[in-house]
Amino acid sequence: MLEKRNPIQIGEAVKRVMEHKQEGSTECVSINESYGRYLSEDLKATSDVPHFDRAPYDGYAIRSIDTQEASQNHAVEFEVVDHIGAGMLTDKELGPFQTVRIMTGAQMPVGADSVVMLELAREIERDGKKYMETKRKHKEGENVSYRGEDAREGEVLVKKGTFINPGIQAMLATFGYAKVPVSRKPVIGLYATGTELLDVDEPLEPGKIRNSNSYMISAQILRAGAEVKYFGQLPDDFDTCFDAVSKAIEEVDLFITTGGVSVGDYDYLPEIYAKLGAEVLFNKVAMRPGSVTTVAQLDGKLLFGLSGNPSACYVGFELFARPIIRTMLFTEQPHLRKEKAILDANFPKANPFTRFVRSALRVENGKLVVTPSGLDKSNIIMSLAGANSLMILPGGTRGFEEGSEVEVLLLEDHVGSDWLGKTGAVPGCRIPKQRQNDT
Amino acid sequence: MLEKRNPIQIGEAVKRVMEHKQEGSTECVSINESYGRYLSEDLKATSDVPHFDRAPYDGYAIRSIDTQEASQNHAVEFEVVDHIGAGMLTDKELGPFQTVRIMTGAQMPVGADSVVMLELAREIERDGKKYMETKRKHKEGENVSYRGEDAREGEVLVKKGTFINPGIQAMLATFGYAKVPVSRKPVIGLYATGTELLDVDEPLEPGKIRNSNSYMISAQILRAGAEVKYFGQLPDDFDTCFDAVSKAIEEVDLFITTGGVSVGDYDYLPEIYAKLGAEVLFNKVAMRPGSVTTVAQLDGKLLFGLSGNPSACYVGFELFARPIIRTMLFTEQPHLRKEKAILDANFPKANPFTRFVRSALRVENGKLVVTPSGLDKSNIIMSLAGANSLMILPGGTRGFEEGSEVEVLLLEDHVGSDWLGKTGAVPGCRIPKQRQNDT
């Protein structure tokens, strides 16, 4: 007898998972380790920038009023009373027709309100003293970077939840964040199940394959911004699995298993969830691949039962586990970023289910163009390697033609979308009655 | 007296740097640490995939010839002689009208050449024995995944120089790469120069600013795929700088300094290069910002003298140092990826120089749209934080209007371009005679 499962729409499935999202937490790391992390607090300006009036060019700091009479026919002469570079200070306060030679970035002398650029100045030496003359009138504030021009103390410059890129790292340094408050990386537990699995360092045996899902999911966890706690492989044996899983759950923020969630004769995850007393949020989703993706919760902790099929496993992680991780990193847009693109291949065959096709997204003349990354459906391995996106092909009664517009989800992205949303409510997405076991 | 420097075109500058590119080298890391690294050898299939004929669905393995007489009106009956899941083997060889119940992924029994899916089979128990009947004719090979269908032993599946993503990690596991040959990360030495610099944990002082360039460049180095060896800050003092720099160069693959390369009174890098006996490849580039970027080579080792101005420093690194790093990671496309986008702002002011404007690139209805990330020119800090791209505005006599097409360089990308190329030969890129010291 086949177990009958009731498939739900994708949007509904995502919603059920997100109802159990957890708050993230903060840890402080050295600024040297902050690149690639996510800010857990708003980045505020701790001072004005610049925090003193400064010269934006090499030149001569002057009182602009002294250039009132300057013209092409009349050079005005200044006595050079000091010479400073960036980081140096002068103790001279400028009197009338006095100047300080000043380099880019140096603090303006007291009394100065303008800088004559080197190109517009002529330097003179007379009786062992230095003078500068210019023929150009200067206005107050000309060639001066004023305090607070770039940022004001207390201003929020970057929102929490933002990925720390090199520019943000520069800002952190500017404002003295030697320690940076970042989101603690959630710890994601991982068990692979399946009697057929060999470890990566084992030789092949008849009927067995090497476990690739654990390594794939581990990389997906890292890409999402979390940490992996890999517990190993389990055979398809109820008692062994139950003991291992119930212990492992305690040690992590989220728990993922691969395999064992379908309705096959050796798929024990459903029974394990039942014995644990976990609430199953869904065990069938109207999508391909990944329809048997099962998510449960136990005392508020989410348990993700991903398919043992590599493509289904991949997609199930990205749609359901990733947004939970990104939420814990304080991102306001935890879902995969969704964009529109032009389809570069034919999908003549209609499919009643919404499909997520592993795809290579590229730009052609400023437009996004998307191609399935493994043109041959069966070639799961190649299609995963080349994928930087998931193309969404809504279920329905017709296929898709080259040149039509489709939606794609970006996999290598720090921005995200606020809600996978509309995908769940794709019109025409019928759910056939018969069991489909190709995922 | 102002030193007169001879600016060269960007393309020529890139070419001179690339003439001194170095070969990368290989190291082996555990597959658990390979995500995010670059393959240093082609990834080859070490076996067929699948490496045995297997069932792609749950069902019954049969000899297709036995279903010849099957039809809607005539069910054919098989004796169930065994029951296997993935990873299990049967020792039964199928005789006429015998079948093995088989789960997805299990190896096909000897003699079987087709699988009846569960949906098309009816199970019967009679006298304590199990039987299966089907009304459907099956062809040879129907519902069988054949050995080598996904990949053939010896096939090159992924080229060296490719960024290892989750899909490639899965392939590495499939083929038993417990240790993965990856490019050794080049070690990039870094010194910040400038008397005005305070460290990130120091309180602000009049005339001084915190060193942000080192942290920014460190993150850029990590993003490019290399390792940072940060030596610290140096005051604008020739002897101190010379000693420190000449020692540091020995310990690294490439060497970067920030600051001290312009023609200011305290800019000592040019003299330091001279005393070291380094060959200066160029010290002025027809571009903004970053025109004073200086690159030298000493016994084949590249020395990058980046501007102390944050924007100029940022751009100088990405255009000149990044392709050298990516080359050492075996990438065939080491330069920043270049795409076309629609400009979403007005740049009414013409500029004789090609400009690289720090920009935020986004997608709107499937089209790339680019906006300067800090609309106010002076707001260097904000523009760096929001930048995911550099917009190229060719120098010339006219400005650029909203809606026009421009080229952009993508900063957060693992793909790259094979050559920054055409940018260097932008028509109408005049080089003014006067010294421009705003970078």
Side-chain angles (χ1 to χ4, degrees):
Chain A
M1 257 304 290
L2 279 178
E3 179 198 341
K4 288 268 181 275
R5 290 185 180 179
N6 184 27
I8 62 168
Q9 296 292 340
I10 301 157
E12 172 64 19
V14 171
K15 185 165 157 274
R16 288 190 195 173
V17 174
M18 294 305 282
E19 278 165 2
H20 296 276
K21 71 186 182 196
Q22 293 167 48
E23 268 285 292
S25 59
T26 289
E27 64 180 347
C28 278
V29 298
S30 156
I31 187 170
N32 295 310
E33 282 148 23
S34 70
Y35 169 67
R37 300 294 295 267
Y38 292 77
L39 284 174
S40 64
E41 290 173 19
D42 292 344
L43 194 167
K44 278 187 195 159
T46 56
S47 65
D48 291 343
V49 175
H51 72 103
F52 50 85
D53 300 345
R54 67 180 174 192
Y57 304 117
D58 297 347
Y60 290 88
I62 54 156
R63 302 168 358 134
S64 59
I65 198 169
D66 297 338
T67 63
Q68 261 183 330
E69 305 296 325
S71 73
Q72 271 316 97
N73 306 318
H74 179 66
V76 180
E77 191 180 86
F78 294 80
E79 181 197 359
V80 181
V81 297
D82 206 352
H83 177 189
I84 57 170
M88 303 175 191
L89 295 173
T90 178
D91 53 5
K92 302 287 195 318
E93 186 177 335
L94 290 196
F97 301 99
Q98 292 190 322
T99 184
V100 168
R101 185 172 161 103
I102 193 168
M103 295 290 112
T104 306
Q107 179 166 330
M108 295 289 287
V110 177
D113 65 4
S114 183
V115 170
V116 180
M117 287 169 70
L118 285 192
E119 290 85 336
L120 300 171
R122 197 167 78 91
E123 209 167 301
I124 303 158
E125 242 182 286
R126 200 167 62 225
D127 308 331
K129 278 180 117 181
K130 285 186 173 167
Y131 298 88
M132 177 279 287
E133 58 172 45
T134 187
K135 292 179 168 175
R136 200 169 159 293
K137 236 182 221 123
H138 281 68
K139 278 180 253 154
E140 190 185 332
E142 198 168 338
N143 299 332
V144 179
S145 286
Y146 281 105
R147 177 177 182 140
E149 205 173 74
D150 276 10
R152 284 275 172 206
E153 186 174 338
E155 236 183 292
V156 170
L157 299 174
V158 186
K159 290 275 224 172
K160 80 172 179 180
T162 304
F163 179 85
I164 299 176
N165 67 16
I168 294 176
Q169 187 120 309
M171 291 173 70
L172 289 165
T174 299
F175 295 114
Y177 285 82
K179 294 276 178 191
V180 181
V182 298
S183 329
R184 183 181 67 79
K185 295 184 180 183
V187 178
I188 316 301
L190 179 61
Y191 252 127
T193 76
T195 298
E196 75 277 22
L197 300 180
L198 298 167
D199 210 343
V200 62
D201 52 3
E202 291 183 271
L204 291 177
E205 287 175 30
K208 300 210 170 195
I209 56 169
R210 292 200 191 91
N211 169 18
S212 61
N213 283 342
S214 294
Y215 296 96
M216 180 182 76
I217 289 283
S218 293
Q220 289 176 280
I221 291 171
L222 296 175
R223 179 166 72 184
E227 208 173 288
V228 186
K229 184 152 191 168
Y230 179 48
F231 291 99
Q233 295 169 195
L234 293 168
D236 293 320
D237 171 80
F238 181 82
D239 294 328
T240 315
C241 284
F242 179 80
D243 290 347
V245 167
S246 52
K247 259 180 232 148
I249 290 173
E250 304 283 314
E251 304 177 31
V252 298
D253 294 307
L254 305 184
F255 185 73
I256 294 176
T257 47
T258 62
V261 285
S262 191
V263 293
D265 301 341
Y266 307 95
D267 289 331
Y268 294 122
L269 257 294
E271 283 174 63
I272 289 170
Y273 290 145
K275 189 168 170 187
L276 284 168
E279 176 202 1
V280 173
L281 306 181
F282 54 84
N283 60 15
K284 184 105 182 166
V285 187
M287 64 186 252
R288 285 294 143 79
S291 68
V292 297
T293 306
T294 300
V295 181
Q297 68 91 10
L298 181 64
D299 304 327
K301 195 173 281 184
L302 285 164
L303 317 177
F304 293 86
L306 304 179
S307 166
N309 169 294
S311 315
C313 184
Y314 191 96
V315 170
F317 176 88
E318 295 294 336
L319 292 190
F320 303 114
R322 181 194 192 272
I324 291 293
I325 292 173
R326 288 277 167 104
T327 300
M328 293 179 81
L329 300 175
F330 297 103
T331 314
E332 279 176 20
Q333 305 190 122
H335 303 278
L336 291 170
R337 183 170 148 203
K338 188 157 70 173
E339 301 292 358
K340 284 177 182 148
I342 301 301
L343 179 55
D344 195 23
N346 278 310
F347 279 82
K349 234 179 124 183
N351 194 308
F353 290 99
T354 294
R355 279 172 291 172
F356 293 88
V357 183
R358 299 160 303 283
S359 300
L361 187 67
R362 65 183 194 282
V363 181
E364 257 179 33
N365 282 315
K367 283 181 198 144
L368 294 188
V369 177
V370 66
T371 321
S373 53
L375 273 169
D376 175 3
K377 184 196 163 227
S378 68
N379 201 333
I380 288 162
I381 291 183
M382 292 308 294
S383 76
L384 288 177
N388 60 10
S389 55
L390 298 171
M391 187 196 308
I392 308 176
L393 296 180
T397 49
R398 53 175 202 87
F400 295 86
E401 271 177 22
E402 194 178 327
S404 35
E405 190 181 79
V406 292
E407 288 186 318
V408 285
L409 300 173
L410 276 58
L411 295 166
E412 292 161 6
D413 170 80
H414 305 302
V415 176
S417 292
D418 54 357
W419 178 232
L420 192 63
K422 290 164 287 179
T423 312
V426 176
C429 177
R430 293 176 302 110
I431 301 156
K433 290 281 177 289
Q434 105 205 51
R435 175 178 183 258
Q436 304 262 348
N437 65 2
D438 65 340
T439 56
Chain B
M1 258 304 289
L2 279 178
E3 179 198 341
K4 288 267 182 275
R5 290 185 178 177
N6 184 25
I8 63 169
Q9 296 293 340
I10 301 157
E12 172 63 18
V14 171
K15 186 166 156 273
R16 289 192 194 171
V17 174
M18 294 306 282
E19 277 165 3
H20 295 276
K21 70 186 181 194
Q22 292 167 48
E23 268 285 292
S25 60
T26 287
E27 64 179 348
C28 278
V29 298
S30 156
I31 187 172
N32 295 310
E33 282 147 23
S34 69
Y35 169 67
R37 300 294 296 266
Y38 291 78
L39 285 174
S40 66
E41 291 173 18
D42 291 345
L43 194 167
K44 278 188 193 157
T46 55
S47 66
D48 291 342
V49 175
H51 72 103
F52 50 85
D53 301 344
R54 67 180 172 192
Y57 304 116
D58 297 347
Y60 289 89
I62 55 158
R63 304 172 351 140
S64 59
I65 197 170
D66 297 337
T67 64
Q68 260 184 329
E69 307 295 324
S71 73
Q72 271 315 96
N73 306 318
H74 179 66
V76 181
E77 189 179 89
F78 293 81
E79 182 197 359
V80 181
V81 296
D82 207 350
H83 178 189
I84 56 170
M88 305 174 190
L89 294 172
T90 178
D91 53 6
K92 303 288 195 319
E93 185 177 333
L94 291 195
F97 301 99
Q98 290 189 324
T99 185
V100 167
R101 184 173 162 105
I102 192 167
M103 295 290 112
T104 307
Q107 178 165 331
M108 294 289 286
V110 177
D113 64 6
S114 183
V115 170
V116 180
M117 287 168 71
L118 285 192
E119 291 85 334
L120 300 171
R122 198 166 77 92
E123 211 168 297
I124 304 157
E125 242 183 282
R126 202 167 60 226
D127 308 330
K129 279 181 118 178
K130 284 184 174 171
Y131 298 89
M132 179 277 288
E133 60 172 45
T134 186
K135 291 177 168 175
R136 200 170 160 292
K137 234 179 225 133
H138 281 68
K139 277 180 256 160
E140 190 186 332
E142 197 168 340
N143 300 332
V144 178
S145 286
Y146 280 106
R147 178 177 181 143
E149 204 173 75
D150 277 9
R152 283 276 172 207
E153 186 174 339
E155 235 183 293
V156 171
L157 300 174
V158 186
K159 289 274 221 173
K160 80 173 178 179
T162 303
F163 179 85
I164 299 176
N165 67 16
I168 294 175
Q169 186 119 310
M171 290 172 68
L172 289 165
T174 299
F175 294 114
Y177 285 82
K179 295 275 177 191
V180 181
V182 298
S183 329
R184 182 181 67 80
K185 295 183 182 187
V187 178
I188 316 301
L190 179 61
Y191 252 128
T193 77
T195 300
E196 75 278 22
L197 300 180
L198 298 167
D199 210 342
V200 61
D201 53 3
E202 290 183 273
L204 291 178
E205 285 175 33
K208 302 210 169 193
I209 58 168
R210 293 200 190 90
N211 168 17
S212 61
N213 283 342
S214 294
Y215 296 96
M216 181 182 75
I217 288 284
S218 293
Q220 288 176 279
I221 291 170
L222 296 175
R223 180 168 69 186
E227 208 173 286
V228 186
K229 185 153 189 167
Y230 178 49
F231 291 100
Q233 295 168 196
L234 293 168
D236 293 318
D237 171 80
F238 181 81
D239 294 328
T240 315
C241 282
F242 179 80
D243 290 348
V245 167
S246 52
K247 258 179 232 151
I249 289 173
E250 303 284 312
E251 303 177 32
V252 299
D253 295 307
L254 304 185
F255 186 72
I256 294 175
T257 47
T258 60
V261 285
S262 191
V263 293
D265 301 340
Y266 306 96
D267 288 331
Y268 294 122
L269 256 295
E271 285 174 61
I272 289 170
Y273 290 145
K275 188 166 171 188
L276 284 168
E279 174 201 3
V280 173
L281 306 181
F282 54 84
N283 60 15
K284 183 107 181 163
V285 187
M287 64 186 251
R288 283 296 142 80
S291 67
V292 298
T293 306
T294 299
V295 181
Q297 69 90 8
L298 181 63
D299 304 326
K301 197 173 279 184
L302 285 164
L303 317 178
F304 292 85
L306 304 179
S307 167
N309 170 295
S311 314
C313 184
Y314 191 96
V315 170
F317 175 88
E318 296 294 337
L319 292 189
F320 303 114
R322 181 194 190 275
I324 291 292
I325 291 172
R326 287 277 168 104
T327 300
M328 294 179 80
L329 300 175
F330 296 104
T331 313
E332 279 175 21
Q333 304 190 122
H335 303 277
L336 290 170
R337 183 170 148 202
K338 187 156 71 174
E339 300 292 357
K340 285 178 182 147
I342 300 301
L343 179 54
D344 194 21
N346 277 309
F347 279 81
K349 234 178 123 181
N351 194 309
F353 291 99
T354 294
R355 279 172 292 171
F356 293 89
V357 182
R358 299 163 301 284
S359 301
L361 187 68
R362 65 183 194 283
V363 181
E364 258 179 33
N365 282 316
K367 283 181 198 144
L368 294 189
V369 177
V370 66
T371 320
S373 52
L375 274 169
D376 174 5
K377 183 198 161 221
S378 68
N379 200 335
I380 289 162
I381 291 183
M382 291 309 294
S383 76
L384 288 176
N388 60 12
S389 56
L390 298 171
M391 187 196 306
I392 308 176
L393 295 181
T397 49
R398 50 173 205 90
F400 294 87
E401 272 177 21
E402 194 178 324
S404 34
E405 190 181 79
V406 292
E407 288 186 318
V408 285
L409 301 173
L410 276 57
L411 295 165
E412 293 161 5
D413 172 79
H414 306 302
V415 178
S417 292
D418 53 357
W419 178 232
L420 193 63
K422 288 165 288 179
T423 313
V426 176
C429 179
R430 294 177 299 111
I431 300 157
K433 289 281 177 288
Q434 104 206 51
R435 174 176 184 258
Q436 305 262 350
N437 64 2
D438 64 341
T439 55

